[in-house]
């Protein structure tokens, strides 16, 4: 995960100017998208960090003498820890009991991933929100451009009037595409 974040950071450093131009097309929504992404990254690291306690318990249990006290009991493996807590000598767990424990662990891990799935969906939603926001702005700006055109006037005057009002629709397209870019890239 850290290597992937470093690679993404290097891409951001290399493309800094282009990313800044895209970001400034709609700084409010794009900042919200980046904030949600940072929260999602922090939650992903937290979920992986929670597994270290379980790994340490399993490794300590495998190497420990019977009856050795563990300073930090596991959370996900709590049912297994209670079964094996007072072991004496070699012990075996039946297949149905092990299946139940593994199903319980799988259910707990799926519950923890629900928040990550929600964050991913939220990033896509915010990107689409920006897309439609920009498209609405573009369509209304194009309507204003068309209203400003004069039929039967001289061509140079019409072209000059069109050139003055065309930046508005293009700004709407910038909002649309920059939010989509940030929403999908943050996903």
């Amino acid at each position: 995960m850290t290597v992937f974040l470093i690679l993404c950071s290097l891409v951001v450093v290399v493309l800094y100017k282009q990313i800044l131009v895209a970001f400034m097309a709609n700084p409010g929504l794009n900042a919200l998208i980046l904030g949600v992404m940072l929260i999602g990254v922090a939650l992903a690291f937290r979920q992986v960090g929670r597994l270290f306690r379980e790994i340490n318990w399993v490794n300590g249990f495998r190497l420990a003498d019977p009856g050795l006290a563990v300073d930090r009991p596991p959370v996900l493996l709590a049912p297994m820890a209670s079964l094996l807590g007072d072991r004496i000598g070699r012990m075996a767990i039946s297949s149905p009991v092990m299946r139940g424990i593994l199903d319980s662990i799988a259910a707990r891990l799926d519950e923890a991933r629900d928040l990550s799935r929600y964050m991913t969906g939220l990033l896509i939603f915010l990107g689409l929100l920006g897309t439609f926001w920009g498209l609405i702005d573009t369509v209304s700006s194009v309507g204003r451009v068309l209203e400003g055109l004069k039929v039967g006037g001289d061509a140079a005057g019409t072209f000059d009037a069109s050139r003055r009002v065309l930046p508005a629709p293009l700004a709407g397209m910038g909002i649309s595409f920059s939010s989509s870019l940030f929403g999908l890239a943050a996903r």
Side-chain angles (χ1 to χ4, degrees):
M1 288 170 50
T2 304
V3 170
F4 180 74
L5 284 178
I6 290 171
L7 290 174
C8 289
S9 298
L10 289 175
V11 169
V12 168
V13 168
V14 169
L15 299 174
Y16 175 75
K17 290 180 182 178
Q18 293 90 345
I19 292 173
L20 185 61
V21 168
F23 181 83
M24 295 311 288
N26 189 0
L29 185 59
N30 291 338
L32 178 64
I33 290 170
L34 291 178
V36 169
M37 181 197 68
L38 291 175
I39 291 169
V41 167
L43 289 172
F45 271 99
R46 181 179 166 267
Q47 287 175 353
V48 171
R50 286 181 52 202
L51 296 177
F52 287 121
R53 174 188 276 189
E54 312 302 316
I55 293 168
N56 290 337
W57 180 82
V58 169
N59 290 337
F61 185 82
R62 283 184 28 223
L63 300 175
D65 293 327
L68 184 65
V70 178
D71 57 344
R72 294 181 71 192
V75 177
L76 290 173
L77 298 175
M80 186 181 291
S82 65
L83 278 174
L84 300 175
D86 55 350
R87 70 177 178 159
I88 299 173
R90 189 160 173 87
M91 181 176 193
I93 299 177
S94 69
S95 180
V97 171
M98 182 58 80
R99 174 57 41 207
I101 291 172
L102 291 176
D103 288 343
S104 170
I105 292 169
R108 289 182 188 179
L109 289 173
D110 281 342
E111 288 172 6
R113 282 191 295 254
D114 282 344
L115 189 56
S116 295
R117 289 184 194 116
Y118 174 77
M119 297 300 273
T120 301
L122 181 60
L123 287 170
I124 293 170
F125 167 75
L126 290 173
L128 287 173
L129 178 69
T131 299
F132 289 111
W133 177 1
L135 290 175
I136 288 170
D137 195 30
T138 300
V139 169
S140 64
S141 297
V142 168
R144 286 191 298 272
V145 167
L146 293 176
E147 286 175 2
L149 294 178
K150 294 181 182 174
V151 179
D154 75 46
T158 302
F159 179 75
D160 190 46
S162 297
R163 190 175 49 93
R164 281 193 307 260
V165 293
L166 274 178
L170 295 176
M173 293 300 284
I175 290 171
S176 175
F177 290 119
S178 73
S179 297
S180 294
L181 171 79
F182 281 100
L184 292 175
R187 181 181 175 255

